[in-house]
Amino acid sequence: MATSYFLLAVFLALVSSQAIASDPSPLQDFCVADKDSPVKVNGFVCKDPVHVTVDDFFKAAELDKPRNTKGKVGSNVTLINVMQLAGLNTLGISLARIDYAPLGENPPHTHPRATEILTVLEGTLYVGFVTSNPNNTLFTKVLHKGDVFVFPEGLIHFQFNPVHDKPAVALAALSSQNPGVITIANAVFGSKPPISDDILAKAFQVEKGTIDWLQAQFWENNHY
């Protein structure tokens, strides 16, 4: 009986540890990404500290310049993650500048590996996110210069500039060195190869012709 209780206690401890699991804290001051290493790990292998320089933690000014927002969705996301700044490896953060044309939007998308906190630098934004099944509750807010909003990890969210004659700019911080992005329309209707129109027609409860038309569109990537 005592053995059974012991095994049960061990099992519950293991389950509990998995339930609260998260990325481990760094075990050294830094782990600058060695992108030339042939070794594949979850992230990047550390560069030998002997060869680390101050420039591994520096990115020349890029986020102070307005971006081209003439694309179909009217926005441009400039991301600074571990791919652009090797010193971010293992530190669990990244940064993005988002430019919006008048009436431009950053269309519904998710970050599978990060929470996002966004602040408006110029202009006005209508923002929101949708909770998971079964409620699918929509939370929205109109933001003005200096306002801050947070999008929980993994949830579908968007930003829209409702002003017809003025652009907007926001700065976002994300809780991952490589947060990833899944733009919903691109993933569903622009996958390569395409998802079967039979599957999508049933999923969206529309005619196959509607799906065929959507799949024929050019689904723009606004993340650079």
Side-chain angles (χ1 to χ4, degrees):
M1 182 65 71
T3 301
S4 298
Y5 280 124
F6 174 75
L7 291 175
L8 177 60
V10 171
F11 173 75
L12 290 175
L14 289 172
V15 170
S16 299
S17 68
Q18 291 300 312
I20 60 174
S22 62
D23 290 339
S25 298
L27 300 178
Q28 59 278 320
D29 289 343
F30 52 76
C31 172
V32 172
D34 182 358
K35 298 175 187 175
D36 296 323
S37 173
V39 178
K40 302 299 180 185
V41 297
N42 184 21
F44 290 96
V45 173
C46 302
K47 181 189 288 189
D48 187 333
V50 173
H51 302 302
V52 169
T53 72
V54 68
D55 286 334
D56 289 315
F57 305 94
F58 171 76
K59 184 73 175 174
E62 288 192 356
L63 299 185
D64 62 328
K65 302 177 180 65
R67 300 294 173 169
N68 180 10
T69 57
K70 294 182 179 179
K72 294 179 72 173
V73 297
S75 69
N76 188 314
V77 181
T78 306
L79 180 64
I80 304 297
N81 64 11
V82 70
M83 301 307 296
Q84 292 83 34
L85 188 56
L88 286 175
N89 193 42
T90 76
L91 298 185
I93 56 172
S94 54
L95 188 68
R97 172 186 171 125
I98 313 170
D99 290 84
Y100 310 83
L103 302 181
E105 71 170 289
N106 190 13
H109 62 281
T110 74
H111 300 294
R113 297 180 289 275
T115 295
E116 175 181 348
I117 185 168
L118 176 143
T119 184
V120 179
L121 301 181
E122 296 291 343
T124 301
L125 290 176
Y126 172 71
V127 307
F129 68 86
V130 181
T131 65
S132 55
N133 297 349
N135 293 334
N136 300 131
T137 303
L138 173 63
F139 289 91
T140 64
K141 192 77 173 177
V142 175
L143 307 182
H144 303 284
K145 183 177 180 178
D147 289 344
V148 176
F149 196 83
V150 65
F151 304 102
E153 181 174 344
L155 297 187
I156 295 174
H157 60 282
F158 62 86
Q159 303 106 35
F160 172 68
N161 178 6
V163 181
H164 75 278
D165 59 351
K166 293 182 180 178
V169 182
L171 192 67
L174 301 109
S175 62
S176 171
Q177 68 182 45
N178 188 21
V181 61
I182 302 171
T183 304
I184 307 306
N186 300 43
V188 174
F189 300 113
S191 67
K192 302 176 182 62
I195 301 172
S196 166
D197 56 2
D198 289 315
I199 291 174
L200 294 181
K202 190 173 185 65
F204 288 93
Q205 296 293 287
V206 298
E207 298 295 327
K208 285 173 56 176
T210 302
I211 299 298
D212 293 337
W213 181 84
L214 287 167
Q215 290 180 321
Q217 305 308 303
F218 171 69
W219 295 99
E220 179 184 79
N221 175 25
N222 68 328
H223 290 69
Y224 302 99

